[in-house]
């Protein structure tokens, strides 16, 4: 099935940048789908949504937007009419009136999850050893080294802002549940996916499958693109 003129916009989460999507971008290109990684400043939820909207403005035609982790709140907060479907990759999906923190801390943390605290600038950094312990425990040494080297901190304000009516209530959506996630409890992911009435795809992958299991992530995005194209 052709993807037609449907593009993909890929949105990174906390402690990452657009390069985290590089393997998925390659695979989507092989499937005939153009993809752009949206750069987020991670300075506030409002700033991040504005950054996503600027990326969406550059694209002609319908778009499938995929968000990883924290970026689930970002993709759910855009009101862009270019968005035809949403894909949540081990992502957070707060409902109206909720914050990222509300859903992130909903269930018990994994024993190897890092303790997170802001620095003197109100920024939260991921401890270096957390990349191998919890963020991407299935990654190769090289992948872990790159993730740690390019990490970008997230401002405390990002996780404390309540969201409005999320777009997942008004668009078809997919949710990749990461069964071996040590950052976002898989039970939390299942809860969010159920209330979203999402098309659920579950894999025994870590928190960052866009790096460690890119074929699985690509398949879910392609499924969403093809669904939009078939309409």
């Amino acid at each position: 099935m052709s993807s037609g003129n449907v593009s993909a916009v890929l949105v990174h989460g906390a402690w990452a940048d657009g390069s985290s999507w590089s393997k998925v971008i390659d695979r989507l290109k092989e499937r005939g789908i153009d993809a752009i990684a949206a750069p987020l400043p991670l300075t506030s939820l409002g700033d991040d949504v504005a950054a996503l909207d600027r990326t969406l403005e550059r694209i002609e035609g319908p778009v499938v937007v995929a968000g990883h982790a924290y970026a689930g709140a970002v993709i759910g907060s855009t009101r862009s009419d270019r968005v035809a479907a949403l894909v949540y990759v081990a992502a957070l999906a707060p409902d109206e009136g909720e914050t990222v923190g509300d859903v992130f801390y909903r269930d018990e943390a994994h024993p190897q999850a890092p303790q997170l605290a802001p620095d003197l600038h109100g920024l939260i950094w991921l401890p270096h050893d957390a990349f191998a312990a919890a963020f991407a425990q299935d990654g190769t040494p090289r992948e872990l080294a790159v993730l740690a080297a390019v990490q970008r901190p997230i401002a405390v304000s990002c996780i404390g802002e309540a969201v409005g009516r999320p777009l997942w209530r008004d668009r078809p959506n997919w949710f990749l549940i990461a069964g071996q996630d040590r950052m976002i409890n898989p039970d939390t992911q299942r809860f969010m996916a159920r209330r979203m009435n999402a098309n659920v795809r579950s894999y025994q992958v870590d928190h960052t499958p866009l790096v460690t299991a890119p074929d699985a992530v690509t398949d879910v995005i392609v499924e969403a693109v093809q669904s939009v194209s078939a309409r």
Side-chain angles (χ1 to χ4, degrees), residues 68-69 88-93 103-104 106-107 175-196 198 200-203 205-209:
H68 173 236
Y88 287 72
V89 180
L92 294 165
V103 284
F104 183 73
R106 181 179 187 273
D107 290 297
F175 201 115
L176 186 157
I177 293 174
Q180 298 298 316
D181 198 321
R182 297 177 183 174
M183 295 292 295
I184 300 173
N185 190 316
D187 288 339
T188 301
Q189 296 180 42
R190 294 183 190 101
F191 162 77
M192 293 183 293
R194 279 195 302 272
R195 72 175 180 181
M196 294 164 67
V200 175
R201 304 294 178 261
S202 297
Y203 297 90
V205 295
D206 65 19
H207 176 67
T208 313

Side-chain angles (χ1 to χ4, degrees), residues 62-85:
V63 178
V64 169
V65 181
H68 173 236
Y70 159 73
V74 180
I75 70 173
S77 296
T78 181
R79 303 310 301 176
S80 172
D81 58 8
R82 287 177 167 82
V83 179

